[in-house]
């Protein structure tokens, strides 16, 4: 296999393989069929795309925009893309957005009035007061501006905005879908992998249904030349997870109730993500045979509770030690 590592890292595969047509969007049939129906009926409402990361929201919004306004819409000033994390502040919304919405753009060749589209990414991070201002801007905008809000959590969008939009839900991609897209990329990139099944299993676990994560991890794996069977476990480390051998050690200590060993193992890991560690422990426990349902139910509830504590800012080392003690009791 001849690989030029530099060029491999040059172009992110998530961009190289970003869907260009609705047909390329995997697994979101309901949302995509609705979009097609809106286009056919020539009435596209304001839209909210909601769903987990890496499931095709931005890609679908761009495909829709290009279909409605042409591929050069950005150059023509017909598309405004805003990201809540950088510039959706009150001032910005008032000035830039109002100007964009109210400006009528006359096309030189046809003198017809073009439509315009505003894509607001990470809309769930827009403060409530700014969302209220947006709502008024939407109400006042002439019919030819379509707003598309993209978000992970629709619960953080205010009701008056939701009720002015059609809500399309994007769902996490299952293993089969993620695998088929990764296989497609592996083929296109002409890569030979000895133990492809193992690689795909690891990538799916890491991805959590987020195709962007899966594709990025695949590209890193190839660029760092760790696709041969013996090095595959390195993928866990580069993605912020623990190698199976460390997990195995930890799990044995859990089963034998060796509290001191557990403490030592935790101490020896530096810069770990407690959330990732919990996910791996959860998977390992769910694969464990012979556990009765009552123990299992208690372990799940501990994991839930301790994860919550850590997200609330408790010291993760103390919480993990406490959690492992509780799990250990159930495993014995
Ligand atoms: N349903 C899908 N079909 C095909 N490719 C996808 C799909 N979802 C994600 N991808 C791949 O992942 C990349 C990121 O997707 P996209 O930007 O559309 O995700 P998103 O849903 O907007 O995520 P976020 O919530 O993080 O913004 C795309 O470039 C594409 O390569
Ligand atoms: Mg996006």
């Amino acid at each position: 296999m001849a690989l030029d590592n530099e060029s491999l890292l040059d172009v992110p595969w998530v961009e190289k393989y970003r869907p260009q047509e609705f047909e390329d969007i995997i697994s979101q049939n309901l949302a995509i069929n609705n979009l097609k129906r809106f286009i056919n009926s020539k009435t596209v409402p304001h839209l909210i795309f909601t769903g987990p990361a890496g499931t095709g929201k931005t890609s679908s919004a761009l495909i829709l925009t290009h279909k409605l306004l042409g591929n050069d819409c950005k150059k023509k000033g017909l598309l405004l893309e805003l990201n809540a994390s950088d510039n959706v502040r009150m001032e910005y919304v008032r000035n830039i957005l109002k100007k964009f919405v109210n400006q009528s753009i006359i096309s030189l060749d046809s003198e017809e009035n073009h439509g315009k589209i505003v894509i607001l990414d990470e809309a769930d991070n827009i403060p409530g007061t700014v969302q209220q201002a947006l709502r008024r801007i939407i109400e006042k905008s002439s019919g030819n501006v379509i707003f598309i809000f993209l978000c992970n959590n629709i619960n953080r969008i205010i009701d008056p905005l939701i009720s002015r939009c059609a809500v399309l839900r994007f769902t996490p991609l299952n293993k089969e879908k993620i695998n088929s897209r990764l296989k497609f990329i592996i083929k296109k990139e002409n890569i030979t992998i000895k133990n492809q099944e193992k690689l795909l299993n690891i990538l799916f676990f890491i991805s959590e249904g987020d195709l962007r994560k899966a594709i990025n991890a695949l590209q890193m794996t190839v660029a760092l030349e760790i696709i041969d069977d013996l090095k595959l476990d390195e993928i866990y480390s580069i993605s912020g997870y623990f190698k199976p051998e460390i997990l195995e050690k930890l799990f044995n200590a859990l089963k034998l109730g060796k509290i001191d060993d557990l403490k030592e193992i935790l101490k020896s890991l530096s810069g770990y993500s407690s959330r990732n560690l919990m996910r791996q422990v959860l998977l390992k426990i769910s694969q464990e045979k012979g556990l009765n349902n009552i123990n299992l139910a208690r372990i799940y509830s501990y994991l839930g509770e301790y994860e919550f504590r850590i997200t609330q800012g408790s010291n993760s080392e103390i919480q993990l030690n406490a959690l492992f003690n509780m799990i250990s009791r159930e495993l014995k």
Side-chain angles (χ1 to χ4, degrees), residues 16 23 71 166 170 178 213 277 294 312:
K16 189 169 172 187
E23 285 63 36
N71 285 340
F170 285 67
I178 297 238
K213 248 194 217 170
L277 183 52
I294 296 175
Q312 294 301 300

Side-chain angles (χ1 to χ4, degrees), residues 41 90-91 104 154 213 249 272 322 325:
S41 67
M90 206 62 168
E91 255 342 87
S104 63
I154 196 168
K213 248 194 217 170
K249 244 166 77 184
Y272 59 83
N325 273 307

